[in-house]
């Protein structure tokens, strides 16, 4: 039994002019009930309880009332002068409309007549069926029968689908597929019909009987996303998946056959470009012989990445010691006896490679390990390169590996008095030493082949040597004690003085002592200034030329005896002699550069002075120095090149005698005119880059009417020239200003011209200013978007082509765009003008509520009526038509759309026809109808 409801009663009151009433007024029927009420202003009776099967109407007592109806499914019962009952039958299916006439009488004359409209509401859907689809893809198919009821006005009817008493979907169809249900066990489904009136009143039918479906427990098999680099083969993906959904402590071993992932090797070969390929990793093939589980498969993506440019260093391990950087120098521990060491390089990226690029024949590489042969003392430079996966980017690293001499391999200790380096190749491993530096406790103490001390000493010694091949090597450290070597007489009559020509030369002289020496002994002298050894000589005089020092300096001399076995014995020092030196001022001319063919610049003050003391500066001098270039010798026509000492400086004076002057000349360099026409950087609208981009779009949040392009050439004497014929751009110096007062794409071409006036480079950029979205697009009723193609209203443009984009994807190519379903996202429009310009709008976030047009039934039988139904706004349906074509393209009918539902009778023979629904603002849809 279908429950019927009375939805509304409308009173259309007709008041007659000839009214007989003692009170001279007409009283409307008054309804007093909690279930319904009378709205006098709107002339309606509205019911709160929509489940009433009957309504008792109470009227006032000023009149006698009578009610009647011609509808068979409505009864008038219990009628008196003041009350009556409206009752509907409950065994009729579908939607019905009826009318009751109510009349009021005063003294036997009819004074009021009203028609009451009575509606019978929707019935429960019938023949409800549920089942699982045959392909076991976890889809539950629901079907039920509809009723051919009629709606009133703008009423709408749809269905609500429930699973285990939970609403899961709504639909206007009489079928529904619950796809990929991830539940298991008994699931209960039922359906209810829903009616919405134009006033927003919602009426729901009862539920269908429950349909119970049993689903096996679902196993969700999800393929993993696979990553590989461009140009590389696909990896083995057969077991690249995860499974969720096992119950009862089961796992993958429970399955009779495990799933397998695959990737199409022809579609996704090594030549595909960088990108993400959705659903490329397919997974199938699982089986459960017990029938406990069913399988839901989810494909994965193949992500192809570009080859890495990472040529960085993660860490390096040298002879077992790990650091995050490559040190410049590494000395092998003297306690180690290794004849080779390893340098293990760990790049930042796994696919980076290590390449040995030094010419050191003692080093070789295997993979990322460099082995260096260290079987003899040496300093070896090892240079290697980390090459990125892309084979282009690389970083070089350099390290010096040193192995020391064992101390006593090349040093002999004589009588605990002296240390002597062995400089015979047959005795020291094949080396010829040129220079020597003795160190004790880290301090330099001697630079001769032998070392001895005037006092008894104890400390940690090592020797640094330079070989005849230019190698600087050293020994391991050794703890040594030496006795005093004071067994010679010091020179006498020592004199130290400043020479007479004020060139800052100190003249030393002394008389030797005739001490006893052996025939093969060798005598020489060491000269000291302030206890620092400054020279050795075999003569009994020494001149220290052009010393840079100033003040009082103490000089002394010691005699040195070198025996045939290289033992060194030193005398005591002569008495100390002091010399006073003026402070030296080093006046150094600046190097001067000029271009070929140019005059020499003014350089009189092109010098620097070093050596002032006591807060003095150049203002202290009585006469300042002057730099000069001979204009006759170094004229404009001299060729390019470097002219040494061409810049002279002289003439400084100090009348107080505190300073003396030392002059250093400089070079004149004549260079060719530069051919550098490179770009250093460019600033476009405030953004600076090292290169000029091909394209620049003005930010929609800051739509400037002009932007600046500021060019900075690599060479200061290079110039910038605007060469494009863009009349909206002009240049001032190195700044190009582009007029962007209206939407456009503008190509700006400029040239950087080198100093030589010959070499140049051209640069090109396209500047685009977008339309504001609302300037050229109308959003009508949140249903359709339409481009404005009237030059009067869109800024003077004629558009020929249109491309609508949503979230970056092309969705339409007509002047207007609409969607059947509700959608939201980020939209923009790309247009082509009659001048061939391709322009676009800014992005706009929009929600379209959708407009749906449906045609049913299909197929249609001969003589059967076709219903074309839409939920579009009435404004969009103005002048809307339905055009009918046969398959040859011949139009055979055209019907004007009559509101939201239009009935069409199809003429013609059996076959296939095309229905074209055309409304306002681009609203259109095509249907293929089959006539049986």
């Amino acid at each position: 039994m279908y429950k019927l409801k009375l939805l509304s009663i409308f009173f259309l009151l007709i008041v007659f002019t000839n009214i007989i009433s003692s009170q001279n007024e007409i009283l409307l029927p008054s309804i007093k009930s909690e279930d319904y009420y009378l709205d006098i202003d709107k002339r309606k009776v509205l019911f709160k309880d929509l489940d009433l099967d009957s309504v008792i109407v109470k009227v006032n007592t000023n009149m006698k009332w009578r009610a009647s109806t011609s509808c068979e499914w409505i009864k008038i019962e219990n009628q008196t002068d003041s009350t009556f009952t409206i009752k509907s039958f409950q065994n009729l299916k579908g939607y019905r409309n009826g009318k009751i006439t109510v009349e009021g009488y005063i003294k036997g004359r009819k004074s009021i007549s009203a028609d009451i409209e009575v509606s019978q509401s929707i019935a429960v859907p019938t023949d409800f069926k549920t089942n699982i689809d045959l392909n076991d893809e976890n889809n539950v198919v629901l079907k039920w029968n509809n009723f051919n009821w009629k709606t009133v006005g703008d009423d709408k009817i749809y269905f609500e689908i429930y699973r285990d008493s939970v609403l899961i979907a709504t639909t206007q169809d009489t079928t529904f597929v619950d796809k990929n249900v991830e539940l298991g066990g008994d699931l209960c489904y039922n359906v209810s019909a829903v009616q919405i009136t134009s006033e927003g009143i919602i009426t729901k039918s009862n539920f269908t009987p429950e349909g119970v479906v049993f689903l096996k427990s679902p196993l969700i098999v999800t393929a993993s996303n696979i990553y590989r680099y461009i140009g590389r083969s696909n990896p083995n993906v057969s077991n690249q998946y995860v499974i969720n959904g096992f119950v009862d402590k089961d796992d993958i071993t429970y399955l009779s056959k495990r799933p397998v992932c695959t990737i199409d090797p022809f579609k996704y070969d090594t030549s595909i470009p960088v990108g993400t390929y959705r659903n490329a990793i397919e997974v199938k093939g699982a089986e459960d012989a017990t029938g406990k589980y069913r399988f839901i498969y989810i494909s994965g993506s193949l992500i192809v990445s570009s080859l890495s440019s990472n040529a960085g260093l993660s860490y390096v391990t040298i002879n077992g010691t790990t650091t995050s950087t490559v040190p410049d120098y590494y000395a092998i521990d003297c306690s180690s006896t290794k004849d080779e060491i390893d340098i293990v390089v760990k790049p930042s990226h796994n696919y980076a490679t290590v390449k040995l690029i030094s010419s050191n024949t003692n080093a070789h590489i295997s993979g990322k390990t460099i082995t260096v042969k260290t079987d003899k003392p040496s300093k070896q430079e090892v240079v290697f390169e980390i090459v990125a996966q892309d084979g282009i980017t690389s970083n070089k690293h350099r390290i010096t590996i040193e192995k020391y001499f064992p101390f006593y391999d090349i040093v002999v200790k004589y009588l605990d008095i002296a240390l002597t380096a062995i400089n015979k190749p047959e005795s020291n491993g094949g080396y010829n030493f040129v220079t020597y530096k003795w160190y004790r406790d880290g301090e330099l103490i001697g630079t001769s082949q032998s070392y001895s001390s005037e006092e008894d000493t104890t400390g940690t010694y090592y020797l640094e040597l330079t070989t005849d091949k230019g190698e600087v090597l050293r020994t391991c450290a050794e703890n040594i004690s030496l006795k005093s070597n004071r067994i010679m007489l010091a020179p006498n009559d020592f004199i130290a003085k400043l020479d007479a020509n004020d060139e800052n030369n100190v003249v030393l002289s002394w008389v030797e002592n005739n001490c006893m020496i052996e025939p093969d002994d060798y005598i020489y002298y060491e000269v000291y200034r302030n206890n620092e050894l400054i020279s050795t000589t075999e003569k009994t005089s020494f001149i220290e030329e052009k010393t840079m020092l100033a003040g009082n300096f103490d000089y002394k001399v010691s005699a040195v005896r070198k025996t045939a076995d290289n033992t060194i014995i030193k005398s005591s020092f002569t008495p100390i002699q002091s010399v006073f030196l003026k402070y030296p001022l080093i006046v150094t001319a600046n190097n001067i550069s000029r271009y070929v063919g140019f005059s020499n610049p003014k350089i009189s003050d092109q010098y620097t002075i070093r050596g002032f003391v006591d807060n003095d500066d150049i203002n202290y001098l009585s006469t300042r120095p002057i730099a000069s270039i001979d204009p006759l010798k170094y004229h404009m026509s001299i060729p390019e090149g470097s002219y040494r000492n061409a810049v002279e400086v002289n003439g400084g004076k100090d009348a107080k005698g505190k300073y003396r002057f030392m002059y250093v000349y400089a070079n004149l360099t004549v260079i060719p005119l530069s051919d550098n026409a490179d770009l250093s950087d460019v600033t476009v609208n405030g953004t600076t880059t090292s290169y000029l981009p091909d394209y620049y779009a003005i930010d929609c949040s800051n739509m400037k009417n002009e932007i600046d392009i500021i060019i900075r050439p690599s060479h200061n004497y290079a110039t910038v020239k605007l060469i494009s014929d863009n009349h909206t751009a002009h240049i001032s110096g190195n700044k190009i200003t582009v007029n962007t007062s209206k939407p456009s794409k503008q190509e700006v071409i400029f040239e950087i011209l080198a100093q030589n006036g010959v070499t140049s480079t051209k640069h090109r950029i396209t500047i685009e200013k977008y339309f504001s979205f609302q300037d050229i697009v109308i959003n009508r009723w949140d249903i359709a978007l339409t481009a404005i193609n009237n030059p009067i209203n869109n800024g003077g443009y004629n558009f020929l082509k249109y491309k609508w984009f949503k979230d970056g994807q092309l969705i339409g190519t007509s002047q207007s765009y609409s969607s059947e379903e509700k959608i939201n996202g980020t939209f923009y429009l790309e247009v082509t003008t009659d001048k061939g310009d391709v322009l676009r709008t800014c992005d706009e976030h929009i929600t379209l509520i959708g407009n749906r047009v449906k045609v049913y039934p299909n197929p249609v039988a001969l003589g059967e009526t076709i219903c074309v139904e839409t939920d579009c706004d009435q404004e969009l349906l103005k002048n809307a038509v339905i055009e009918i074509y046969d398959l040859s393209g011949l139009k055979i009918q055209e019907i004007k759309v009559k509101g939201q539902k239009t009935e069409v009778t199809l003429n013609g023979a059996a076959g296939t026809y095309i229905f074209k629904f055309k409304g306002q603002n681009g609203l259109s849809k095509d249907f293929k109808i089959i006539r049986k």
Side-chain angles (χ1 to χ4, degrees), residues 513-761:
N513 273 323
N514 295 319
C515 56
M516 295 281 299
I517 62 173
E518 297 295 331
D520 292 333
D521 287 354
Y522 168 60
I523 301 294
Y524 63 91
Y525 301 94
E526 291 181 342
V527 181
Y528 289 80
R529 180 182 65 232
N530 287 2
N531 295 319
E532 179 182 356
L533 177 66
I534 61 173
S535 183
T536 61
T537 179
E538 297 178 31
K539 300 178 180 179
T540 56
S541 65
F542 172 73
I543 297 177
E544 185 180 15
E545 296 183 347
K546 296 186 177 180
T547 177
M548 302 291 292
L549 302 174
N552 285 308
F553 292 91
D554 296 332
Y555 291 85
K556 60 186 180 180
V557 177
S558 172
V560 181
R561 172 186 173 189
K562 182 178 179 182
T563 66
D565 58 3
N566 289 323
T567 299
I568 301 296
I569 302 171
K570 292 186 179 181
S571 75
S572 58
F573 288 108
T574 62
I576 294 174
Q577 295 289 312
S578 297
V579 177
F580 176 76
L581 300 177
K582 296 179 184 178
Y583 290 99
L585 289 182
I586 313 302
V587 185
T588 305
N590 296 339
N591 290 325
I592 301 299
S593 296
R594 69 168 172 85
Y595 290 103
V596 65
F598 281 48
S599 299
N600 295 318
K602 181 180 179 182
I603 63 164
S604 58
D605 59 350
Q606 294 298 302
Y607 55 81
T608 57
I609 302 179
R610 292 184 294 110
F612 284 110
V613 297
D614 302 330
N615 295 323
D616 293 342
D617 57 22
I618 195 170
N619 296 315
Y620 178 89
L621 303 179
S622 56
T623 302
R624 297 186 181 186
I626 295 176
S628 63
I629 297 176
D630 186 337
L632 300 178
K633 185 176 181 180
Y634 304 105
H635 46 75
M636 292 175 57
S637 62
I638 61 175
E640 62 185 72
S642 181
Y643 298 87
R644 295 180 59 81
N645 297 326
V647 184
E648 300 179 357
V649 61
N650 285 292
K653 292 182 181 179
D654 170 22
K656 299 178 182 179
K658 183 177 181 180
Y659 296 102
R660 63 187 183 280
F661 296 88
M662 303 180 69
Y663 298 105
V664 180
Y665 292 172
N667 300 333
L668 170 65
T669 303
V670 179
I671 58 179
L673 298 180
S674 173
D675 62 353
N676 187 340
D678 294 336
L679 176 70
S680 176
D681 59 60
V682 62
T683 301
V684 182
N685 200 21
T687 301
T688 301
T689 57
S690 59
Y691 62 93
L692 183 71
D694 296 330
Y695 171 82
Y696 178 83
I698 299 173
D699 186 354
C700 283
S701 64
N702 188 12
M703 302 283 270
K704 293 183 177 180
N705 285 334
E706 65 178 25
I707 65 169
D708 291 334
I709 304 171
I710 302 173
I711 301 100
R712 182 170 173 268
S714 298
H715 193 271
N716 289 339
Y717 285 98
T719 56
V720 179
K721 181 181 179 183
L722 181 63
I723 60 176
S724 59
D725 57 358
N726 181 358
H727 299 301
T728 60
H730 62 274
I731 189 169
S732 175
N734 288 2
K735 181 173 76 173
I736 299 173
T737 300
V738 184
N739 186 319
T740 56
S741 58
K742 61 183 297 185
S744 61
K745 274 185 182 174
Q746 304 185 50
E747 186 177 64
V748 177
I749 307 172
F750 62 87
E751 182 181 45
I752 297 178
L753 186 64
Q755 183 190 27
N756 63 10
V758 177
T759 310
S760 66
T761 58

Side-chain angles (χ1 to χ4, degrees), residues 229 308 310 314 346-353 368 387 389:
Y229 290 102
S308 172
N310 185 342
S314 178
K346 178 64 172 64
S348 299
H349 192 271
N350 287 339
Y351 287 98
T353 56
K368 296 175 183 176
V387 182
Q389 185 187 25

Side-chain angles (χ1 to χ4, degrees), residues 226-284:
I226 301 299
Y227 296 81
R228 73 166 172 85
Y229 290 102
I230 187 170
R232 304 290 172 87
S233 299
N234 296 316
N236 184 354
V237 301
S238 58
N239 62 350
Q240 296 299 303
Y241 55 82
V242 294
I243 304 180
N244 294 311
F246 283 111
V247 296
D248 302 330
K249 297 183 180 180
D250 293 343
D251 57 23
I252 195 170
T253 60
Y254 180 87
L255 302 181
S256 57
K257 187 176 180 180
R258 298 185 181 186
V260 175
C261 282
T262 59
I263 181 170
D264 188 335
F266 299 103
K267 185 175 181 180
Y268 305 105
D269 57 20
T270 57
S271 66
I272 61 175
V274 170
T276 298
Y277 299 87
R278 296 179 62 82
N279 300 325
I281 314 301
E282 299 181 353
V283 59
K284 295 288 182 185

Side-chain angles (χ1 to χ4, degrees), residues 407-408 413 419 439-443 445 451 455-462 476-483:
F407 189 84
Y408 286 116
K413 182 179 179 183
L419 300 173
Y439 290 86
R440 181 178 65 236
D441 298 332
E443 298 292 333
I445 56 173
Y451 170 75
E455 307 293 338
D456 292 346
T457 62
T458 298
T460 300
Y461 288 77
Y462 71 86
C476 296
E478 190 78 17
N479 192 270
I480 297 173
S481 295
L482 293 179
K483 297 178 181 178

